[in-house]
Structure formats: structure tokens, C-alpha cells
């Protein structure tokens, strides 16, 4: 079996090398959104880019074409494009701030609530539905809840979960009720759309329309690449995966070798990430005089939050944490966790969120998808993250430490 594993790894290295050479020619990994570290920003990146493309008066100067493609994709008819108006972050007193607001002034009002990673506020969708019913004067109204993927899709095969006349699962209906969307009438104003399907398909159509406009076409292509990365649908992986599939299917021994390699991969990856955090701990001690003994390394597998925990020296149940959200495959964030629910006056820097006992934000540090690879890099690669952690730690001296 050991020889088969070595053969498999050698074959994979060959496939990856070929793909790497192809990327040198195409330069497809050169992406302005990734370079600037803004691919995760819901409003300033995604809402603004999408709304500009939708806006007939957007900087693309292409009129209604992208808006028409979008409406067709989400199944909205009779929209009056001549009077279309698009706004980002439109605030209405008593109802909240709408990520994207679309109206033609007479026939349609459409709200888009855009969620990449952040959670919803209490009864946020309910407030938006209430706005559509109480304030909007147009004949037709719709709230589009935009997420990376539809977490309720797993229920779609269960016919008994479906509610007649609505077309969504019972589990999603329960979710909507928790958001204050209670009646059949309210639910019919709601539609769940996703980046992984609706937005990606719309962008692909938009790129086709921009085929003779190189600047617009290239930016849309780069944005498509970001969406593929966020939704785990990388286009360049198709060729690699097909090559691997063909090799695995040739022989049972290849499949068994793959199984053993996969088992080893998870273990090795966890070990490498632990070592990376040990490097960070050492640098924090040397450069910023933060005692390593005061920092816990919480990595224990792939099912809990993992990273570094700085236990408060003043409060038993409060800590500063730099951890992965959910598991080692998720995004790294930094935040203050108050498990004891003490009423503390904690600093909340600009842009940080406050929810479920956490004051937090995603780290600005970009590690290109796999934190474990930092094990093979020098300390300079970790400098930005170390400085970010140290800056937050210093802000909390006197409050938590």
C-alpha cells in the first residue's frame, strides 16, 4: 500500500505542476479583489459591486442590460427599466438599513439583504417585510435574502417538508418565523437567492454581454473568481479533479491509496496549523512581551473553534481569541468572548460586530485559503497577523489584562 500512496502523490504532483505552468501563462490568479484583501467585505465590496452593475446609471455605461439579466434570473417580470433606481445602504427610520434597494417607482420594490459571513440582527428580515407592506407604494414587492449557499437545500428532497403554495422547506419556514416573518402572505414576499447559483449564473451571463468591453469583462471575470472561491466552486479545479478522478477510477489500489492519504492529510494539517500558532506565540513573546504561558492553543480537532486564546487576567470567563470560525477550514477571526455574560464596558473598535457574547471581526490577514501552508513560510509572512493580534491585545491592557 505504501508504494501505491507514493505513486498517487507523484501523479498528483505532476497534475499540479501542469496546472501551475498553465496559470503562469494565463495569469488567472492575478485578482485585484484578493490583492487588496477586500473579497470578504459584504457592503464595501459585494453590495457596491453588484449594485453598480445593476444600476443603469452605473460606471459601466451599459444601461439596463445587466439589470435585465438579473431580473430574468430571479424571475421578476414587468419591471419598468426606464425609471429604475438603485441605492446601496439605504436607511429608513424604524426599519433599518437595506444593503441594496431597487425600485422602478410604480411596479416593483426589491430589497436585497446581503450576507457573506455576518449573521442577521434580531427579526431583521421581519422588519424589511414590514417595510414592504407598510411603506412601499409599488404594486409588487420582494425581499431577496442573498447568502453564499442555501443552508436549507438539504431539506429539498423531503416532500413532506414543503408547504403548499410557498415552495420552501418547513425548516426554512421555521427560520423565517424566528426572524418575525410569520404569515403565508409575508413568506410569499421573500425569496432566498445565493452567490453559488443565482449570482454566479448572472455574472457569467453578464460577462458574455461584456465580451467586446475588455475592461468590464475582465473585472467581472475577476469578481466571478472571487465568488467561486467563496462558494468553493473554483473553475480551475474542474480540470485537475477530472484528471484525478480518471486516475483513481483506473484501479482499486488507487482508491485505497487515496483513502489512506486523506486520513493522513487531516492529521498532518492539524499538526502544521498548531506549529504555525506556536510560531505566532513565540513572536508575540519576543517582540511584544506577551508571555506564552498566558496564551492557550485550543486546537483539538476539526469540529471546534481553534486558534489562540488569551485568558483575561481580570475576568475568569472573558478572553481574547484569534480562532477559526467553526473549524480549521473556515475564516480566521479575532474577538473578545464573554462566556460569563458579565456586564463589562469593553472597547469595540470600528467595524467590529457585537453578537452572541462576542465582539469580533474577521482578520485582515490573507492566507490564500490554507493556513497550514504558512508552516513552510518564514516569519515575514506572519508579520501582519502578529501585528494585528498585538495591537488588539495592547488596546485591552488595563481592561482585560
Amino acid at each position: 500500500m505504501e508504494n501505491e500512496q507514493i505513486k498517487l502523490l507523484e501523479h498528483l504532483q505532476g497534475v499540479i505542476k501542469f496546472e501551475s505552468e498553465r496559470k503562469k501563462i494565463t495569469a488567472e490568479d492575478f485578482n485585484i479583489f484578493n490583492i487588496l484583501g477586500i473579497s470578504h467585505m459584504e457592503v464595501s465590496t459585494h453590495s457596491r459591486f453588484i449594485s453598480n452593475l445593476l444600476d443603469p446609471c452605473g460606471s459601466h455605461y451599459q444601461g439596463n442590460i445587466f439589470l435585465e439579466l438579473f431580473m430574468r434570473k430571479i424571475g421578476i417580470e414587468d419591471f419598468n427599466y426606464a425609471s429604475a433606481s438603485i441605492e446601496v445602504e439605504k436607511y429608513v427610520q424604524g426599519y433599518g438599513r437595506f444593503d441594496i434597494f431597487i425600485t422602478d417607482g410604480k411596479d416593483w420594490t426589491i430589497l436585497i439583504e446581503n450576507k457573506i459571513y455576518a449573521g442577521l440582527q434580531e427579526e431583521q428580515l421581519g422588519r424589511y417585510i414590514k417595510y414592504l407592506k407598510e411603506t412601499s407604494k409599488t404594486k409588487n414587492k420582494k425581499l431577496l435574502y442573498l447568502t453564499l449557499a442555501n443552508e436549507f437545500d438539504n431539506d429539498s428532497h423531503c416532500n413532506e417538508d414543503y408547504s403548499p403554495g410557498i415552495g420552501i422547506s418547513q425548516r426554512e419556514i421555521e427560520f423565517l418565523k424566528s426572524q418575525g416573518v410569520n404569515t403565508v402572505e409575508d413568506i410569499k414576499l421573500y425569496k432566498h437567492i445565493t452567490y453559488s447559483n443565482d449570482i454566479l449564473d448572472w455574472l457569467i451571463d453578464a460577462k458574455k454581454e461584456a465580451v467586446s468591453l475588455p475592461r468590464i469583462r475582465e473585472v467581472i471575470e475577476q469578481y466571478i473568481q472571487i465568488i467561486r472561491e467563496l462558494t468553493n466552486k473554483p473553475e480551475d479545479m474542474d480540470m485537475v479533479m477530472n484528471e484525478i478522478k480518471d486516475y483513481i477510477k483506473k484501479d482499486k489500489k488507487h482508491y485505497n491509496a487515496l483513502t489512506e492519504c486523506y486520513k493522513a492529510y487531516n492529521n498532518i494539517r492539524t499538526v502544521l496549523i498548531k506549529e504555525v500558532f506556536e510560531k505566532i506565540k513565540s513572536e508575540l513573546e519576543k517582540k511584544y512581551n506577551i508571555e506564552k504561558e498566558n496564551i492557550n492553543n485550543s486546537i483539538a480537532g476539526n469540529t471546534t473553534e481553534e486558534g489562540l486564546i488569551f485568558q483575561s487576567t481580570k475576568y475568569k470567563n472573558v478572553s481574547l481569541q484569534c480562532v477559526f470560525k467553526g473549524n480549521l477550514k473556515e475564516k480566521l477571526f479575532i474577538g473578545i468572548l464573554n462566556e460569563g455574560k458579565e456586564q463589562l464596558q469593553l472597547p469595540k473598535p470600528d467595524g467590529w460586530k457585537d453578537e452572541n457574547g462576542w465582539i469580533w471581526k474577521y482578520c485582515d490577514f490573507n492566507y490564500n485559503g490554507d493556513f497550514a501552508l504558512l508552516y513552510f513560510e518564514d516569519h515575514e509572512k506572519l508579520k501582519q497577523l502578529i501585528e494585528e493580534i498585538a495591537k488588539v491585545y495592547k488596546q485591552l491592557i488595563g481592561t482585560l489584562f
Side-chain angles (χ1 to χ4, degrees):
M1 178 60 71
E2 186 175 340
N3 288 336
E4 291 299 329
Q5 292 172 4
I6 292 172
K7 287 180 185 177
L8 173 63
L9 292 174
E10 289 175 345
H11 184 80
L12 294 180
Q13 284 178 331
V15 173
I16 292 168
K17 183 178 180 181
F18 176 83
E19 179 64 13
S20 178
E21 292 298 321
R22 186 186 69 80
K23 285 185 175 184
K24 285 183 181 179
I25 298 171
T26 63
E28 64 189 59
D29 284 346
F30 184 85
N31 188 296
I32 192 66
F33 298 98
N34 276 334
I35 292 169
L36 297 178
I38 59 175
S39 63
H40 63 288
M41 296 179 178
E42 288 175 354
V43 176
S44 56
T45 298
H46 295 278
S47 292
R48 291 194 177 279
F49 183 84
I50 290 170
S51 63
N52 190 281
L53 210 54
L54 291 174
D55 193 346
C57 298
S59 57
H60 49 74
Y61 290 102
Q62 301 307 302
N64 304 326
I65 184 62
F66 301 127
L67 180 59
E68 290 183 30
L69 289 172
F70 180 77
M71 293 300 180
R72 199 178 307 154
K73 177 62 190 171
I74 62 175
I76 287 181
E77 301 175 351
D78 303 323
F79 188 91
N80 186 350
Y81 297 102
S83 58
S85 174
I86 318 288
E87 292 184 56
V88 185
E89 288 280 276
K90 178 182 175 68
Y91 178 75
V92 178
Q93 181 70 35
Y95 298 100
R97 196 178 300 277
F98 311 134
D99 289 334
I100 302 176
F101 180 90
I102 306 171
T103 187
D104 61 8
K106 180 180 178 181
D107 294 311
W108 276 100
T109 296
I110 301 162
L111 310 180
I112 301 179
E113 176 55 25
N114 181 22
K115 292 297 181 189
I116 302 291
Y117 294 113
L120 287 163
Q121 300 169 18
E122 184 177 355
E123 297 194 350
Q124 185 176 1
L125 299 183
R127 292 199 307 275
Y128 294 175
I129 292 290
K130 189 177 180 183
Y131 166 82
L132 291 174
K133 292 171 64 178
E134 295 180 350
T135 305
S136 174
K137 304 300 183 184
T138 57
K139 183 167 56 176
N140 304 294
K141 319 158 200 298
K142 186 67 73 174
L143 169 61
L144 302 178
Y145 179 43
L146 173 58
T147 59
L148 290 178
N150 191 339
E151 63 183 284
F152 306 105
D153 273 351
N154 291 335
D155 283 349
S156 63
H157 66 283
C158 303
N159 292 332
E160 64 271 17
D161 278 353
Y162 278 80
S163 297
I166 299 177
I168 59 177
S169 72
Q170 185 62 38
R171 192 159 68 91
E172 188 161 10
I173 290 173
E174 292 303 318
F175 157 73
L176 289 172
K177 286 181 179 178
S178 73
Q179 276 286 305
V181 183
N182 296 305
T183 67
V184 171
E185 179 189 5
D186 290 350
I187 294 173
K188 286 183 177 179
L189 295 177
Y190 160 91
K191 183 180 177 69
H192 196 163
I193 63 173
T194 65
Y195 280 96
S196 60
N197 291 319
D198 304 283
I199 297 299
L200 189 55
D201 290 348
W202 167 62
L203 290 168
I204 290 170
D205 289 341
K207 188 180 75 168
K208 291 176 183 176
E209 289 293 336
V211 67
S212 61
L213 303 162
R215 178 170 291 191
I216 298 173
R217 184 191 66 238
E218 180 57 34
V219 174
I220 292 175
E221 175 58 38
Q222 291 193 28
Y223 187 63
I224 287 173
Q225 183 183 6
I226 291 301
I227 300 305
R228 289 189 180 280
E229 290 175 6
L230 290 172
T231 59
N232 295 314
K233 282 188 169 183
E235 189 175 31
D236 61 343
M237 285 300 294
D238 290 344
M239 184 169 60
V240 175
M241 289 306 298
N242 287 335
E243 177 71 25
I244 294 171
K245 285 179 195 174
D246 290 342
Y247 181 80
I248 298 300
K249 288 161 69 176
K250 284 180 181 178
D251 196 312
K252 182 180 178 181
K253 291 179 181 178
H254 297 171
Y255 178 79
N256 290 334
L258 178 67
T259 302
E260 294 302 316
C261 286
Y262 179 72
K263 291 177 184 176
Y265 162 76
N266 284 326
N267 291 331
I268 292 170
R269 187 170 186 274
T270 300
V271 169
L272 295 181
I273 290 176
K274 283 182 179 179
E275 291 295 326
V276 173
F277 278 120
E278 287 297 330
K279 287 183 183 180
I280 294 172
K281 287 164 70 173
S282 295
E283 289 296 304
L284 288 170
E285 181 183 39
K286 284 193 296 185
K287 290 189 176 181
Y288 299 98
N289 298 318
I290 300 175
E291 295 292 334
K292 282 203 297 181
E293 289 71 21
N294 295 334
I295 311 174
N296 296 320
N297 191 325
S298 66
I299 294 180
N302 281 338
T303 57
T304 58
E305 290 170 338
E306 294 110 345
L308 300 179
I309 298 177
F310 304 76
Q311 183 60 50
S312 170
T313 55
K314 295 191 174 184
Y315 303 99
K316 180 180 179 181
N317 296 310
V318 179
S319 58
L320 172 67
Q321 301 193 16
C322 180
V323 294
F324 289 95
K325 181 183 179 183
N327 58 57
L328 296 179
K329 301 291 179 68
E330 298 288 343
K331 283 183 66 68
L332 190 68
F333 72 94
I334 187 165
I336 303 162
L337 177 61
N338 184 359
E339 295 180 281
K341 309 301 180 186
E342 284 96 338
Q343 297 299 313
L344 305 176
Q345 293 297 318
L346 298 175
K348 184 184 175 185
D350 290 342
W352 285 45
K353 303 179 187 298
D354 189 348
E355 56 187 13
N356 302 322
W358 281 96
I359 298 174
W360 67 280
K361 77 174 188 77
Y362 288 110
C363 291
D364 296 328
F365 181 64
N366 184 0
Y367 47 90
N368 294 323
D370 193 342
F371 197 79
L373 289 176
L374 292 169
Y375 173 83
F376 304 99
E377 304 287 351
D378 57 31
H379 289 294
E380 280 299 308
K381 290 284 186 180
L382 292 169
K383 184 178 179 181
Q384 181 187 346
L385 178 59
I386 293 167
E387 289 177 351
E388 190 173 359
I389 295 171
K391 179 181 177 182
V392 176
Y393 186 92
K394 286 182 177 180
Q395 289 176 339
L396 297 173
I397 292 176
T399 307
L400 298 187
F401 305 104

